[in-house]
Amino acid sequence: MPPVSRGGAVGGPSSSPRSPPTSRPLRPGRYVPVSAAAAFLVGSTTLFFCFTCPWLAEHVSVAVPMYNGAVFLFVLANFCMATFMDPGVFPRADEDEDKEDDFRAPLYKTVEIRSIQVRMKWCSTCRFYRPPRCSHCSVCDNCVEEFDHHCPWVNNCIGRRNYRYFFLFLLSLTVHIMGVFGFGLLFVLHHTQHLDRLHAAVTMAVMCVAGLFFIPVAGLTGFHIVLVARGRTTNEQVTGKFRGGVNPFTNGCWRNVSHVLCSSQAPRYLGRQRRAPTALVRPPFLRPPLSEAQLAAKVLDNGIQGDLHLSKSSLEAESQSADADPPPPPKPELRYPALSRGQVSMGSTEESSLLNKAPPTPTMYKYRPAYSSPGKSRSGLAHSYSSKMNQGDGLKEVPSLLRSSQQSGYRSEPSLDGRDDDAADHSERERKAGGPGAAGGQAGGISGYSLGGHSYPSFSEPAVLSGGASRSSGVRSAHVAHNASGPLPPESMASASYKSLANQTPRNGSLSYDSLLTPSEGPDLGRAAPELSPGRRRPHPHAHPHTHPHPHPQARHAPLLGYSSPFLSAQIAQQREPELHQASSAPLSSPHKAYLRTGSPPPLPPPDPCRPPRFSRPALLSDSHPYAYRARSLGSQDPPRSPVSPAPAPRPPPLGKSLSYSSAAAAEMQFRLVRKASAGAGIQAPKDEVPVKSYGRANGQPGGARPPSPHRSASSPSSPSHPASPGQADRSSPSSHGPTPRQGGRVKKVTGVGGTTYEISV
Amino acid sequence: VRPSLQDLRQQASIAAKVFVQRDYTTGTICQFQTKFPSELETRIDKQQFEETIRTLNNLYAEAEKLGGRSYLEGCLACVTAYTIFLCMETHYEKVLKKIAKYIQEQNDKIYAPRGLLLTDPIERGLRVVEITIFEDQSNGRIEGR
């Protein structure tokens, strides 16, 4: 397997490894700004009171020092409250709560707030989906409710509970500075003859300090006045969440102001006295009369799509369902029913009821290709990436192919698309050292609001991201659907972002939608998985090699089929099997074997098999989508493989299983993507790529080893339902993207990111 | 009041946990979803559950209400440089106490006899209402939680 060069800009801002929450290293640097602020405030005011006020009390009025004293007291009180008050830190979630959101769960959950889609991101540190407006502060290593920013001048986060004090501190400080400066000026104007005296000199010095601080403080005060009036937090403002969109959290100027100033003090979540349950629970228990609705499908309320996954049983059901994914060659439109059936058969009644919910958008089963909405190429990438990831570490996690509907994303934040989005989307957390961690979040892009330069905007959380990776709690692919979600309907794919990948975010935007369309980045994906982990995040070495070889075989066939129907993809997968068997290169075979090995056992030894989506790989794949897929296969194939004949003998097998699954999944995904995205071929091609991959992986993982659809020979791709004719698959793909594939010939040349060139024989 | 050791030993073991998530449709005010979780179908009436959640929602709405009470509290706090918080309990805390009492009462009367237990959402940061489902066996195993 040709080594993949890390040409791509793996830049993710990998911040320094996060220290575990329990033991935070003492960082004296954190206290410098707050100490300086306190010193200036108290020192200057004291000097003012000592040197200026006596004269003022005598010659102007005694009320002057009293007024200044009161204002100063107010400033101090608010400063102390802002500094010492808990901003609204969420306690870490218990393990029990997290179980359902484990590997399989998507990185984002979408919720509808006043008809606006808002995304809730999975916090790998705190182990829950962050409530709206909540953000994780990397400095404090906590999720804070209604996170505004981390203020270095008070060395504390500003959140729901202490925003009021912070705001009042700013207001009162502005008033105080104006007062000190004004009265100091009055003093100086009356002592122009005695400016060399101590009192005048001190007053002038105090005036200088006051004048110097007035400009930034007043500016900040004005900024926050505007924020309060608009009902936004600093974080939302600087990340441009509502730029051009609607803020779902505003209630009008007056209500916003009164909420900040007059609402009752929000309660503390930490440090509360936990009451032991006093109720004694002892069987026998009362039971309600049996209702026929036990298995009735439940309609999701409140647009919250994700709570299916919140119940343990549902999660297990899902994992089991992954195994039961429909066998070949399901037509794309039949996939849903097939999957549902499969699921039901696998799950318990509880599970089936959950599974039978007919979600308005296909989100529920992230790893289920059928549910992924084709609309997003990105999600496709995610899937493929996840499949890639799965391969790598051999975990059975099914890529959350269908992160689906959740991913409709945050409509009110169209601008997030850019760096922030990439950062957020691409963040992947590694749960286990399984997938290549995408390099950590880049959140760097979002610098967030910082007074002293230390604040970390909630959205970037590089520390969190990289920390998550280092934790290797699991791999969750990043959600990349954000950009795509805007224009596309909600169900467009929830890109397979998994919580486990949350901390890995390829910085170079390979996961972004843009990368799909940019040929040069295509191959990045191919390399992405392996690259990302090492380059961008704290890659997990073992995951790395795994991902490499695996994608290749798949990718290689991909060009043959192009972006055709899932069947083709499946076929590709099938074809891969022989290749795999034939693969002589050690690296190739071993990873495959590893992959297959893991894939085969059905199940589900708990967490691994059930957690396909954890791998960040899918996300990566989905991003660079066709390219990535292709590049990977190309690269790997270069050397040792003999081109696989398009007519594959369907091979059962354990080897091929995962591959075929992924290809089938990818095919499915691709189909959906194509269906949704009526847009040009350029987009289509990539999409096709992705689905093939992710699907294949997903199937393989759970141990089902049945190659999903791949029993057709590549030469006769038959995805009838697929709009893009399979026949064109051969030619479409890589060339559509970009790098310079040589068409028509038996050898295709694809240029990967960073200039690596792959040649594949068609 | 912690149950005695004997009580604990006789407590049923936990079978599963259900998490009722927040309902954000009307914003960030504290409301929980009234959707009946499927896991509870065999354990409790839907109406009963929904009523519990609705009452909780109303209580939380009362806690967060912007009214004269909270305004007065804010003014008083400002005037006293927030030292009033040392002696006085805020409105929200008062309602939280009410909620805790309500939950305990619900547990004692309705949920525990059915092998369920509600956990005060404040312990989870007001993010979820955790409902613990106990196994319906008459064994005397110690609670594993």
Coordinates of all heavy atoms in Angstrom, one line a residue, chain A residues 142-210:
Chain A
N142 N -15.3 23.2 30.9 CA -16.7 22.9 31.3 C -17.6 23.4 30.2 O -17.3 24.3 29.5 CB -17.0 23.8 32.6 CG -16.4 23.1 33.8 OD1 -16.4 21.9 34.0 ND2 -15.8 24.0 34.6
C143 N -18.8 22.8 30.2 CA -19.8 23.3 29.4 C -20.6 24.3 30.2 O -20.9 24.1 31.4 CB -20.8 22.2 29.0 SG -20.4 21.5 27.4
V144 N -20.8 25.4 29.6 CA -21.5 26.5 30.3 C -22.8 26.9 29.6 O -22.8 27.0 28.4 CB -20.5 27.8 30.3 CG1 -21.2 29.0 30.9 CG2 -19.2 27.5 31.1
E145 N -23.8 27.1 30.4 CA -25.1 27.4 29.9 C -25.1 28.8 29.4 O -24.6 29.7 30.0 CB -26.1 27.2 31.0 CG -27.5 27.3 30.5 CD -28.5 26.9 31.5 OE1 -28.1 26.8 32.7 OE2 -29.7 26.7 31.2
E146 N -25.7 29.0 28.2 CA -25.7 30.3 27.6 C -24.4 31.0 27.6 O -24.2 32.1 28.1 CB -26.8 31.2 28.3 CG -28.2 30.8 27.9 CD -29.3 31.7 28.5 OE1 -29.0 32.9 28.7 OE2 -30.3 31.2 28.7
F147 N -23.4 30.3 27.1 CA -22.1 30.7 27.1 C -21.9 32.0 26.4 O -22.2 32.1 25.2 CB -21.2 29.6 26.5 CG -19.7 29.9 26.5 CD1 -18.9 29.8 27.6 CD2 -19.1 30.4 25.3 CE1 -17.6 30.1 27.6 CE2 -17.8 30.7 25.3 CZ -17.0 30.5 26.4
D148 N -21.3 33.0 27.0 CA -21.1 34.2 26.4 C -19.6 34.3 25.9 O -19.4 34.3 24.7 CB -21.4 35.4 27.3 CG -21.4 36.7 26.6 OD1 -22.5 37.1 26.1 OD2 -20.4 37.4 26.5
H149 N -18.7 34.2 26.8 CA -17.3 34.2 26.5 C -16.5 33.9 27.7 O -17.1 33.9 28.8 CB -16.8 35.5 25.8 CG -16.8 36.6 26.8 ND1 -17.9 37.3 27.2 CD2 -15.8 37.2 27.4 CE1 -17.6 38.3 28.0 NE2 -16.3 38.3 28.2
H150 N -15.3 33.6 27.5 CA -14.4 33.5 28.7 C -13.7 34.8 28.9 O -13.0 35.2 28.0 CB -13.5 32.3 28.5 CG -12.6 32.1 29.7 ND1 -12.9 31.3 30.8 CD2 -11.4 32.7 30.0 CE1 -11.9 31.3 31.7 NE2 -11.0 32.2 31.3
C151 N -13.9 35.4 30.0 CA -13.3 36.7 30.2 C -12.0 36.6 31.0 O -12.1 36.2 32.1 CB -14.3 37.6 30.9 SG -13.7 39.3 31.1
P152 N -10.9 37.0 30.4 CA -9.7 36.9 31.1 C -9.5 37.9 32.2 O -8.8 37.7 33.2 CB -8.6 37.1 30.1 CG -9.3 37.7 28.9 CD -10.7 37.4 29.0
W153 N -10.3 39.0 32.1 CA -10.1 40.0 33.1 C -10.8 39.6 34.4 O -10.5 40.2 35.4 CB -10.7 41.3 32.6 CG -10.1 41.7 31.3 CD1 -10.7 41.7 30.1 CD2 -8.8 42.2 31.1 NE1 -9.8 42.1 29.1 CE2 -8.6 42.4 29.7 CE3 -7.7 42.5 32.0 CZ2 -7.4 42.9 29.2 CZ3 -6.5 42.9 31.4 CH2 -6.4 43.1 30.1
V154 N -11.7 38.7 34.3 CA -12.3 38.2 35.6 C -11.9 36.7 35.8 O -12.3 36.1 36.7 CB -13.8 38.4 35.6 CG1 -14.2 39.9 35.6 CG2 -14.5 37.7 34.5
N155 N -11.2 36.2 34.8 CA -10.7 34.9 34.9 C -11.9 33.9 35.1 O -11.8 33.0 36.0 CB -9.7 34.7 36.0 CG -9.0 33.4 35.9 OD1 -8.8 32.8 34.8 ND2 -8.5 32.8 37.0
N156 N -12.9 34.1 34.4 CA -14.1 33.3 34.6 C -14.9 33.3 33.3 O -14.7 34.2 32.5 CB -14.9 33.8 35.7 CG -15.9 32.8 36.2 OD1 -15.9 31.6 35.9 ND2 -16.9 33.3 37.0
C157 N -15.7 32.2 33.1 CA -16.6 32.2 32.0 C -17.7 33.1 32.3 O -18.1 33.3 33.4 CB -17.1 30.8 31.7 SG -16.0 29.8 30.8
I158 N -18.3 33.7 31.3 CA -19.5 34.5 31.5 C -20.6 33.7 30.8 O -20.6 33.4 29.6 CB -19.4 35.8 30.8 CG1 -18.1 36.6 31.2 CG2 -20.6 36.7 31.0 CD1 -18.1 36.9 32.7
G159 N -21.5 33.3 31.6 CA -22.6 32.5 31.1 C -23.9 33.0 31.7 O -24.1 34.1 32.1
R160 N -24.9 32.0 31.7 CA -26.2 32.5 32.1 C -26.3 33.1 33.4 O -27.0 34.1 33.6 CB -27.1 31.2 32.0 CG -28.5 31.5 32.5 CD -29.3 30.2 32.5 NE -30.7 30.5 33.0 CZ -31.5 29.5 33.3 NH1 -31.2 28.3 33.2 NH2 -32.7 29.9 33.7
R161 N -25.6 32.5 34.4 CA -25.8 33.0 35.8 C -25.1 34.3 36.1 O -25.6 35.1 36.9 CB -25.3 31.9 36.8 CG -26.1 30.6 36.7 CD -25.7 29.6 37.7 NE -26.2 30.0 39.0 CZ -25.5 30.1 40.1 NH1 -24.2 29.9 40.1 NH2 -26.1 30.4 41.3
N162 N -24.0 34.5 35.4 CA -23.3 35.7 35.8 C -23.2 36.8 34.7 O -22.4 37.7 34.8 CB -21.9 35.4 36.3 CG -21.0 34.7 35.3 OD1 -21.5 34.4 34.2 ND2 -19.7 34.5 35.6
Y163 N -23.9 36.6 33.7 CA -23.9 37.6 32.6 C -24.4 38.9 33.1 O -23.8 40.0 32.8 CB -24.7 37.1 31.4 CG -24.5 38.1 30.3 CD1 -23.4 38.2 29.5 CD2 -25.6 39.0 30.0 CE1 -23.3 39.1 28.4 CE2 -25.4 40.0 29.0 CZ -24.3 40.0 28.2 OH -24.2 40.9 27.2
R164 N -25.4 38.8 33.9 CA -25.9 40.1 34.4 C -24.9 40.9 35.2 O -24.8 42.1 35.0 CB -27.1 39.8 35.3 CG -27.6 41.0 36.0 CD -28.6 40.6 37.1 NE -29.1 39.3 36.8 CZ -30.1 38.7 37.6 NH1 -30.5 39.4 38.6 NH2 -30.5 37.6 37.3
Y165 N -24.1 40.2 36.0 CA -23.1 40.9 36.8 C -22.0 41.4 35.9 O -21.5 42.5 36.2 CB -22.6 39.9 37.9 CG -23.7 39.3 38.7 CD1 -23.9 38.0 38.7 CD2 -24.5 40.1 39.4 CE1 -25.0 37.4 39.3 CE2 -25.6 39.6 40.1 CZ -25.8 38.2 40.1 OH -26.9 37.7 40.8
F166 N -21.7 40.6 34.9 CA -20.6 41.1 34.0 C -21.1 42.4 33.3 O -20.4 43.3 33.1 CB -20.3 40.0 33.0 CG -19.3 40.4 32.0 CD1 -18.0 40.5 32.3 CD2 -19.8 40.6 30.7 CE1 -17.1 40.9 31.3 CE2 -18.9 41.0 29.7 CZ -17.5 41.1 30.0
F167 N -22.3 42.3 32.8 CA -22.9 43.5 32.1 C -22.9 44.7 33.0 O -22.5 45.8 32.6 CB -24.2 43.1 31.6 CG -24.9 44.2 30.8 CD1 -24.3 44.6 29.6 CD2 -26.1 44.8 31.2 CE1 -24.9 45.6 28.8 CE2 -26.7 45.8 30.5 CZ -26.1 46.2 29.3
L168 N -23.4 44.5 34.2 CA -23.5 45.6 35.2 C -22.1 46.1 35.5 O -21.9 47.3 35.8 CB -24.3 45.2 36.4 CG -25.8 45.0 36.2 CD1 -26.5 44.5 37.4 CD2 -26.4 46.3 35.7
F169 N -21.2 45.2 35.6 CA -19.8 45.5 35.9 C -19.3 46.5 34.8 O -18.7 47.5 35.1 CB -18.9 44.3 36.0 CG -17.4 44.6 36.0 CD1 -16.8 45.3 37.0 CD2 -16.7 44.1 34.9 CE1 -15.4 45.5 36.9 CE2 -15.3 44.3 34.9 CZ -14.7 45.0 35.9
L170 N -19.5 46.1 33.6 CA -19.1 47.0 32.5 C -19.8 48.3 32.6 O -19.1 49.4 32.4 CB -19.4 46.3 31.1 CG -18.5 45.2 30.7 CD1 -19.0 44.7 29.3 CD2 -17.1 45.6 30.7
L171 N -21.0 48.3 32.8 CA -21.8 49.6 32.8 C -21.2 50.5 34.0 O -20.9 51.7 33.8 CB -23.3 49.4 33.0 CG -24.1 49.0 31.8 CD1 -25.5 48.7 32.3 CD2 -24.1 50.1 30.8
S172 N -21.1 49.9 35.1 CA -20.7 50.6 36.3 C -19.3 51.0 36.2 O -18.9 52.1 36.6 CB -21.0 49.8 37.6 OG -20.3 48.6 37.5
L173 N -18.5 50.2 35.5 CA -17.1 50.6 35.4 C -16.9 51.8 34.4 O -16.1 52.7 34.7 CB -16.3 49.4 34.8 CG -14.7 49.6 34.7 CD1 -14.2 49.9 36.1 CD2 -14.1 48.4 34.1
T174 N -17.8 51.8 33.4 CA -17.7 52.9 32.5 C -18.1 54.2 33.2 O -17.5 55.3 33.1 CB -18.7 52.7 31.3 OG1 -18.5 51.4 30.8 CG2 -18.6 53.8 30.3
V175 N -19.2 54.1 34.0 CA -19.6 55.3 34.8 C -18.5 55.7 35.8 O -18.3 56.9 36.0 CB -21.0 54.9 35.5 CG1 -21.3 56.0 36.6 CG2 -22.1 54.7 34.5
H176 N -17.9 54.7 36.4 CA -16.9 55.0 37.4 C -15.7 55.7 36.7 O -15.2 56.7 37.2 CB -16.5 53.7 38.0 CG -15.4 53.9 39.1 ND1 -15.5 54.7 40.2 CD2 -14.2 53.3 39.2 CE1 -14.4 54.6 40.9 NE2 -13.6 53.8 40.3
I177 N -15.3 55.2 35.6 CA -14.2 55.8 34.9 C -14.5 57.2 34.5 O -13.7 58.2 34.7 CB -13.8 55.0 33.7 CG1 -13.1 53.7 34.1 CG2 -12.8 55.8 32.8 CD1 -12.8 52.7 33.0
M178 N -15.7 57.4 34.0 CA -16.1 58.7 33.6 C -16.1 59.7 34.8 O -15.7 60.8 34.8 CB -17.5 58.7 33.0 CG -17.4 58.0 31.6 SD -18.9 58.4 30.6 CE -20.2 57.8 31.6
G179 N -16.6 59.1 35.9 CA -16.6 60.0 37.1 C -15.3 60.3 37.6 O -15.0 61.5 37.9
V180 N -14.4 59.3 37.7 CA -13.0 59.6 38.2 C -12.3 60.6 37.2 O -11.7 61.6 37.7 CB -12.3 58.3 38.3 CG1 -10.8 58.5 38.4 CG2 -12.8 57.5 39.4
F181 N -12.5 60.4 36.0 CA -11.8 61.3 35.0 C -12.4 62.7 35.1 O -11.7 63.7 35.1 CB -12.0 60.7 33.6 CG -11.2 61.4 32.6 CD1 -9.9 61.0 32.3 CD2 -11.7 62.5 31.9 CE1 -9.1 61.7 31.4 CE2 -11.0 63.2 31.0 CZ -9.7 62.8 30.7
G182 N -13.7 62.7 35.2 CA -14.4 64.0 35.3 C -14.0 64.8 36.5 O -13.6 66.0 36.4
F183 N -14.1 64.2 37.6 CA -13.7 64.9 38.9 C -12.2 65.1 39.0 O -11.8 66.1 39.5 CB -14.2 64.1 40.1 CG -15.7 64.2 40.2 CD1 -16.5 63.1 40.1 CD2 -16.3 65.4 40.5 CE1 -17.9 63.1 40.2 CE2 -17.7 65.5 40.6 CZ -18.5 64.4 40.5
G184 N -11.5 64.2 38.4 CA -10.0 64.5 38.4 C -9.7 65.7 37.5 O -8.9 66.5 37.9
L185 N -10.4 65.8 36.5 CA -10.2 67.0 35.6 C -10.6 68.3 36.3 O -9.9 69.3 36.2 CB -11.1 66.8 34.3 CG -10.9 67.8 33.2 CD1 -9.4 67.7 32.7 CD2 -11.9 67.6 32.1
L186 N -11.7 68.2 37.0 CA -12.1 69.3 37.8 C -11.1 69.7 38.8 O -10.7 70.9 39.0 CB -13.4 69.0 38.5 CG -14.2 70.1 39.2 CD1 -14.7 71.0 38.1 CD2 -15.4 69.5 40.0
F187 N -10.5 68.8 39.4 CA -9.4 69.0 40.4 C -8.3 69.7 39.7 O -7.7 70.7 40.2 CB -9.0 67.7 41.0 CG -7.9 67.8 42.0 CD1 -8.2 67.9 43.4 CD2 -6.6 67.8 41.6 CE1 -7.2 68.0 44.3 CE2 -5.6 67.9 42.6 CZ -5.9 68.0 43.9
V188 N -7.9 69.1 38.6 CA -6.7 69.6 37.9 C -6.9 71.0 37.4 O -6.0 71.9 37.5 CB -6.3 68.7 36.8 CG1 -5.3 69.3 35.8 CG2 -5.7 67.4 37.3
L189 N -8.1 71.3 36.9 CA -8.4 72.6 36.4 C -8.3 73.7 37.5 O -8.1 74.8 37.2 CB -9.8 72.6 35.7 CG -9.8 71.9 34.4 CD1 -11.2 71.9 33.8 CD2 -8.9 72.5 33.4
H190 N -8.6 73.2 38.7 CA -8.6 74.2 39.8 C -7.2 74.2 40.4 O -7.0 75.0 41.4 CB -9.6 73.8 40.9 CG -10.9 74.3 40.6 ND1 -11.8 73.6 39.8 CD2 -11.6 75.4 41.0 CE1 -12.9 74.3 39.7 NE2 -12.9 75.4 40.4
H191 N -6.3 73.4 40.0 CA -5.0 73.4 40.6 C -3.9 73.6 39.6 O -2.8 73.1 39.7 CB -4.7 72.1 41.3 CG -5.5 71.9 42.6 ND1 -6.8 71.5 42.6 CD2 -5.2 72.1 43.9 CE1 -7.3 71.5 43.8 NE2 -6.3 71.9 44.6
T192 N -4.2 74.3 38.5 CA -3.2 74.5 37.4 C -2.0 75.2 37.9 O -0.9 75.0 37.4 CB -3.8 75.3 36.3 OG1 -4.5 76.4 36.9 CG2 -4.8 74.5 35.5
Q193 N -2.1 75.9 39.0 CA -0.9 76.6 39.5 C 0.0 75.6 40.3 O 1.1 75.9 40.6 CB -1.2 77.7 40.4 CG -1.4 79.1 39.7 CD -2.6 79.0 38.7 OE1 -3.6 78.5 39.1 NE2 -2.4 79.5 37.5
H194 N -0.7 74.5 40.8 CA 0.1 73.7 41.7 C 0.3 72.3 41.1 O 0.2 71.3 41.8 CB -0.6 73.5 43.0 CG -1.1 74.9 43.6 ND1 -0.3 75.8 44.1 CD2 -2.4 75.4 43.6 CE1 -1.0 76.8 44.5 NE2 -2.2 76.6 44.1
L195 N 0.5 72.2 39.8 CA 0.5 70.9 39.2 C 1.7 70.1 39.7 O 1.7 68.9 39.5 CB 0.6 71.1 37.7 CG -0.8 71.4 37.1 CD1 -0.7 71.5 35.6 CD2 -1.8 70.4 37.4
D196 N 2.7 70.7 40.2 CA 3.8 70.0 40.7 C 3.6 69.3 42.0 O 4.4 68.5 42.5 CB 5.1 70.9 40.7 CG 4.8 72.1 41.6 OD1 3.6 72.5 41.7 OD2 5.7 72.7 42.1
R197 N 2.5 69.7 42.6 CA 2.3 69.1 43.9 C 1.8 67.7 43.8 O 1.3 67.3 42.8 CB 1.2 69.9 44.7 CG 1.8 71.2 45.3 CD 0.7 71.9 46.0 NE 0.1 71.1 47.0 CZ -1.1 71.4 47.6 NH1 -1.7 72.5 47.2 NH2 -1.6 70.7 48.5
L198 N 2.0 66.9 44.9 CA 1.8 65.5 44.8 C 0.3 65.2 44.5 O 0.0 64.4 43.6 CB 2.1 64.9 46.2 CG 1.8 63.4 46.3 CD1 2.8 62.6 45.4 CD2 2.0 62.9 47.7
H199 N -0.6 65.9 45.1 CA -2.0 65.6 44.8 C -2.3 65.8 43.4 O -3.1 65.0 42.8 CB -2.9 66.6 45.7 CG -2.8 66.2 47.1 ND1 -4.0 65.8 47.8 CD2 -1.8 66.1 48.0 CE1 -3.7 65.5 49.1 NE2 -2.4 65.7 49.2
A200 N -1.9 66.9 42.8 CA -2.2 67.1 41.4 C -1.5 66.0 40.5 O -2.1 65.6 39.6 CB -1.8 68.5 41.0
A201 N -0.3 65.7 40.9 CA 0.4 64.7 40.0 C -0.3 63.4 40.1 O -0.5 62.7 39.1 CB 1.8 64.6 40.5
V202 N -0.7 63.0 41.3 CA -1.4 61.7 41.4 C -2.7 61.8 40.7 O -3.1 60.8 40.0 CB -1.6 61.4 42.9 CG1 -2.6 60.3 43.1 CG2 -0.3 61.1 43.6
T203 N -3.4 62.9 40.8 CA -4.7 63.0 40.1 C -4.5 62.9 38.6 O -5.3 62.2 37.9 CB -5.4 64.3 40.5 OG1 -5.5 64.4 41.9 CG2 -6.7 64.4 39.8
M204 N -3.5 63.5 38.2 CA -3.2 63.4 36.7 C -2.9 62.0 36.3 O -3.3 61.5 35.2 CB -2.1 64.4 36.3 CG -2.6 65.8 36.3 SD -1.6 66.9 35.2 CE -0.1 66.8 36.1
A205 N -2.1 61.3 37.1 CA -1.8 59.9 36.8 C -3.1 59.1 36.8 O -3.3 58.3 35.9 CB -0.8 59.4 37.8
V206 N -3.9 59.3 37.8 CA -5.2 58.6 37.8 C -6.0 58.9 36.6 O -6.6 58.0 36.0 CB -5.9 58.9 39.1 CG1 -7.3 58.3 39.0 CG2 -5.2 58.2 40.3
M207 N -6.0 60.1 36.2 CA -6.7 60.5 35.0 C -6.2 59.8 33.8 O -7.0 59.4 32.9 CB -6.7 62.0 34.8 CG -7.7 62.8 35.6 SD -7.4 64.6 35.4 CE -7.8 64.7 33.6
C208 N -4.9 59.7 33.7 CA -4.3 59.0 32.6 C -4.8 57.5 32.5 O -5.2 57.1 31.5 CB -2.8 59.1 32.6 SG -2.2 60.7 32.2
V209 N -4.7 56.9 33.6 CA -5.1 55.5 33.7 C -6.6 55.4 33.3 O -7.0 54.5 32.5 CB -4.9 54.9 35.1 CG1 -5.5 53.6 35.2 CG2 -3.4 54.8 35.3
A210 N -7.4 56.3 33.9 CA -8.8 56.3 33.6 C -9.0 56.5 32.1 O -9.8 55.8 31.5 CB -9.5 57.3 34.4

